Amino acid sequence: MAVGAYLNFNGNCREAVEFYGKAFDTEPQIMSFGDAPPNPEYPLPDEAKSLVMHARIHVHGSDIMFSDVFPGMPFVVGSNISLSVVTEDLDAIKSAFERLKEGGTIIMDLQETFWSKSYGSLTDKFGVQWQFNYGTGEM
């Protein structure tokens, strides 16, 4: 199981990821919201298509992940980081999610997505944001 940092940006994520990639001499992986499979129930606004949905750089054995906030979502500098748990142990994800949600707020309950058989996010009772992803985390 790995725990990594996940940073959010307000429209300038691609620039930040490319900057950090050069700084650490690593090639970033970048997926925009427009690269995701379309969902007719939630049409994607034009201004969101080029924004970064998920990006990753590998730095000295650790992954740092990034995304832009979706248009209209709140963004507060200094509160734009969460911890991301990535593992191929589904029971560990479910257990940690259940424990951390006590007294906290679920942002997205554990569920299947197009990138993971189980993904969820929450803010724990101490205000720390967590993301849980079943799988290797590879795009």
Side-chain angles (χ1 to χ4, degrees):
M1 182 182 322
V3 177
Y6 205 110
L7 290 92
N8 294 113
F9 293 85
N10 197 21
N12 60 343
C13 183
R14 187 175 304 273
E15 177 185 358
V17 170
E18 289 172 354
F19 173 79
Y20 295 133
K22 287 179 185 172
F24 292 104
D25 197 27
T26 186
E27 189 66 31
Q29 298 173 328
I30 302 173
M31 178 193 318
S32 69
F33 284 103
D35 294 333
N39 182 341
E41 295 178 29
Y42 301 100
L44 191 62
D46 287 338
E47 67 268 20
K49 291 180 181 176
S50 64
L51 295 177
V52 174
M53 179 179 169
H54 179 74
R56 173 192 351 270
I57 61 172
H58 193 72
V59 179
H60 304 294
S62 296
D63 285 331
I64 303 173
M65 295 162 285
F66 309 81
S67 70
D68 279 310
V69 294
F70 200 77
M73 297 298 292
F75 176 81
V76 178
V77 174
S79 297
N80 56 323
I81 187 168
S82 61
L83 298 177
S84 178
V85 177
V86 180
T87 182
E88 292 188 24
D89 184 341
L90 187 56
D91 290 333
I93 285 177
K94 289 178 179 179
S95 176
F97 191 91
E98 287 300 312
R99 291 175 182 160
L100 288 173
K101 78 177 187 182
E102 290 179 26
T105 304
I106 295 173
I107 299 167
M108 182 176 173
D109 213 348
L110 287 175
Q111 61 191 271
E112 187 169 342
T113 64
F114 73 88
W115 70 85
S116 174
K117 290 184 180 177
S118 186
Y119 172 84
S121 60
L122 59 82
T123 301
D124 70 21
K125 66 182 178 180
F126 300 105
V128 176
Q129 291 186 10
W130 293 86
Q131 297 183 59
F132 296 85
N133 193 68
Y134 172 76
T136 62
E138 295 298 318
M139 287 197 268

